[in-house]
């Protein structure tokens, strides 16, 4: 997991060969102005989902993991808190290969971190994360899905 300001994403370009494309996309697009929905950048290997997400309490948030993709999650309109638990500390659960997601409900995260607009949270396949914890009913956010 990486938590940082969006402007520092360039420092992490060497982490994944597609990260430079994310930096380029962010330089050329205003996330506030993008329509909700999926925006392909490099086919199925790199895209961004812009969504209006329902704010949840820590008890409502569900821990998830991904096998094939890295998430770069960016809150746009309000602060967002993420629960975090290392994947190897989570119980086994059913994997949905089509959506590349394993959901582990009814478990509290080990720790929590809050990102303000202008910040990002990067979750790798070994990171269990519970997104959308927010003190607002709805927040606009960007989720870049990057092939791991």
């Amino acid at each position: 997991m990486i938590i940082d300001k969006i402007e520092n994403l360039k420092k992490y370009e060497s982490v994944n060969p597609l990260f430079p494309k994310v930096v380029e996309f962010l330089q050329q697009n205003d996330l506030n102005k993008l329509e909700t929905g999926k925006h392909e950048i490099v086919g199925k290997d790199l895209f961004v989902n812009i969504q209006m997400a329902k704010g949840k309490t820590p008890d409502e948030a569900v821990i998830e993991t991904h096998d094939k993709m890295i998430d770069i999650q960016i809150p746009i309109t309000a602060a967002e808190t993420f629960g975090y638990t290392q994947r190897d500390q989570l119980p086994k659960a059913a994997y949905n290969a089509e959506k590349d997601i394993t959901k582990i409900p009814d478990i509290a995260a080990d720790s929590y971190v809050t990102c303000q607009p202008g910040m990002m949270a990067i979750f790798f396949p070994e990171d269990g994360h519970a997104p959308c914890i927010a003190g607002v009913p709805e927040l606009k956010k960007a989720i870049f899905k990057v092939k791991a």
Side-chain angles (χ1 to χ4, degrees):
M1 175 177 64
I2 297 171
I3 307 295
D4 205 339
K5 294 179 180 178
I6 298 168
E7 64 198 48
N8 292 331
L9 182 58
K10 190 161 185 57
K11 294 179 181 181
Y12 303 101
E13 285 184 326
S14 64
V15 171
N16 180 285
L18 292 169
F19 277 21
K21 294 283 187 187
V22 177
V23 171
E24 182 181 317
F25 184 89
L26 288 168
Q27 290 170 340
Q28 296 175 357
N29 295 276
D30 181 349
L31 295 178
N32 289 297
K33 295 180 180 176
L34 284 177
E35 295 291 323
T36 57
K38 182 177 177 179
H39 303 264
E40 286 191 3
I41 302 168
V42 182
K44 293 180 181 181
D45 290 347
L46 173 61
F47 56 92
V48 62
N49 284 321
I50 304 295
Q51 61 182 226
M52 297 301 296
K54 177 184 177 279
K56 300 175 183 175
T57 66
D59 290 340
E60 294 171 326
V62 175
I63 295 176
E64 60 187 52
T65 61
H66 309 288
D67 289 2
K68 299 176 185 168
M69 303 299 273
I70 298 166
D71 278 3
I72 302 176
Q73 300 210 19
I74 302 172
I76 299 170
T77 58
E80 180 177 8
T81 298
F82 300 92
Y84 176 81
T85 301
Q86 292 179 346
R87 185 180 195 151
D88 62 7
Q89 300 301 306
L90 294 167
K92 299 290 184 213
Y95 173 65
N96 181 329
E98 183 181 328
K99 294 184 178 182
D100 183 39
I101 193 165
T102 300
K103 291 189 177 189
I104 304 106
D106 304 321
I107 292 183
D110 287 341
S111 60
Y112 296 87
V113 63
T114 299
C115 289
Q116 300 295 328
M119 295 178 70
M120 64 181 175
I122 304 175
F123 298 105
F124 297 90
E126 62 271 13
D127 298 323
H129 54 285
C132 300
I133 301 170
V136 295
E138 190 174 66
L139 71 144
K140 185 176 184 181
K141 66 182 289 183
I143 305 169
F144 285 87
K145 303 294 279 185
V146 184
K147 184 176 180 184

